[in-house]
Amino acid sequence: SQKIEQNSEALNIQEGKTATLTCNYTNYSPAYLQWYRQDPGRGPVFLLLIRENEKEKRKERLKVTFDTTLKQSLFHITASQPADSATYLCALEEMNTGFQKLVFGTGTRLLVSP
Amino acid sequence: DGGITQSPKYLFRKEGQNVTLSCEQNLNHDAMYWYRQDPGQGLRLIYYSQIVNDFQKGDIAEGYSVSREKKESFPLTVTSAQKNPTAFYLCASTTGQGEETQYFGPGTRLLVL
């Protein structure tokens, strides 16, 4: 069966350190993968999209890698700040109907302490 | 400001009652989606619509209904057949052209009295 796995345990790190979050998937062959940020009681907000032919993508302090052999994406936040504390969701596209549908992971909660 | 609005922010449902959640977008997007979010389960797709007057069931459509009479609006009705409606409901939209980000509304939290 198809599955997307993100670490359900919260990740606690100290301010200034690099946070690394993992997204593993099975039985998908996505053309791209997305990462979203969600704050408590609010809707997710898009952060980055990485395509299957891209190894790495960066945006300011954010970096995403995509390894289609390992079926894994890593999401890095460098020089983390308390304001980065949130839940981060990965999402894969599912194109079996010829129309974009996203399948979301359960998310990993990041807590950055001062 | 372009975006998606959802109302109400909190909604209470009594036993046997149907309730309707509103979702409006002014992004001129063709595609709209409804998700349900439960703790520890991520987002699950309820219904989606590619164009006006057309919609398809998602993974957990039972107990829900939708309509898409206008491009801007995609209301979700939680019927009395939905036995466990307590959840956080999110509406999203995209242009429908593929490989794109989804824009989400602020969500509606539905609670059962």
Side-chain angles (χ1 to χ4, degrees):
Chain A
S1 63
Q2 296 174 316
K3 194 186 297 185
I4 302 173
E5 291 183 332
Q6 294 185 258
N7 194 338
S8 59
E9 292 183 14
L11 177 63
N12 290 276
I13 65 167
Q14 217 166 6
E15 184 176 9
K17 302 292 185 185
T18 296
T20 299
L21 285 67
T22 304
C23 177
N24 294 300
Y25 60 93
T26 56
N27 296 324
Y28 284 104
S29 297
Y32 58 89
L33 182 149
Q34 302 181 21
W35 283 88
Y36 289 77
R37 169 183 172 142
Q38 185 176 23
D39 291 286
R42 306 186 74 168
V45 175
F46 169 77
L47 295 174
L48 282 167
L49 179 153
I50 186 165
R51 297 179 181 83
E52 60 179 340
N53 61 350
E54 298 174 320
K55 295 291 185 191
E56 180 181 298
K57 184 141 294 177
R58 292 174 184 262
K59 179 182 175 183
E60 297 172 352
R61 294 184 298 111
L62 308 180
K63 184 178 86 171
V64 172
T65 63
F66 192 13
D67 189 326
T68 56
T69 301
L70 291 179
K71 294 187 180 297
Q72 181 182 79
S73 176
L74 298 178
F75 177 80
H76 307 272
I77 304 176
T78 58
S80 59
Q81 304 166 1
D84 295 326
S85 298
T87 296
Y88 292 87
L89 308 170
C90 70
L92 304 179
E93 60 88 24
E94 188 178 71
M95 287 292 288
N96 58 356
T97 58
F99 175 69
Q100 185 212 44
K101 286 167 56 181
L102 286 183
V103 181
F104 286 84
T106 55
T108 297
R109 189 172 171 213
L110 173 66
L111 299 170
V112 182
S113 53
Chain B
D1 280 341
I4 300 179
T5 57
Q6 290 185 242
S7 61
K9 188 173 177 64
Y10 295 96
L11 186 57
F12 297 91
R13 193 189 92 162
K14 294 180 181 177
E15 194 83 27
Q17 186 181 41
N18 292 354
V19 292
T20 297
L21 285 61
S22 168
C23 176
E24 303 278 331
Q25 54 98 0
N26 61 4
L27 299 167
N28 198 33
H29 284 171
D30 286 315
M32 297 186 74
Y33 309 76
W34 273 107
Y35 294 92
R36 169 180 172 142
Q37 188 173 35
D38 295 280
Q41 291 200 49
L43 278 66
R44 292 184 289 168
L45 184 63
I46 304 173
Y47 268 97
Y48 62 99
S49 168
Q50 300 179 56
I51 56 173
V52 174
N53 293 321
D54 184 61
F55 49 82
Q56 287 79 40
K57 293 181 179 180
D59 301 317
I60 55 165
E62 186 174 349
Y64 300 97
S65 66
V66 293
S67 63
R68 186 83 187 278
E69 297 176 2
K70 297 188 299 181
K71 187 175 186 177
E72 306 79 33
S73 179
F74 190 39
L76 173 75
T77 296
V78 183
T79 74
S80 57
Q82 173 49 244
K83 298 306 179 188
N84 185 24
T86 298
F88 189 49
Y89 290 87
L90 288 159
C91 179
S93 72
T94 67
T95 63
Q97 302 303 311
E99 197 194 272
E100 2 168 23
T101 67
Q102 294 199 356
Y103 292 81
F104 284 85
T108 293
R109 188 164 298 279
L110 177 60
L111 300 164
V112 177
L113 294 176

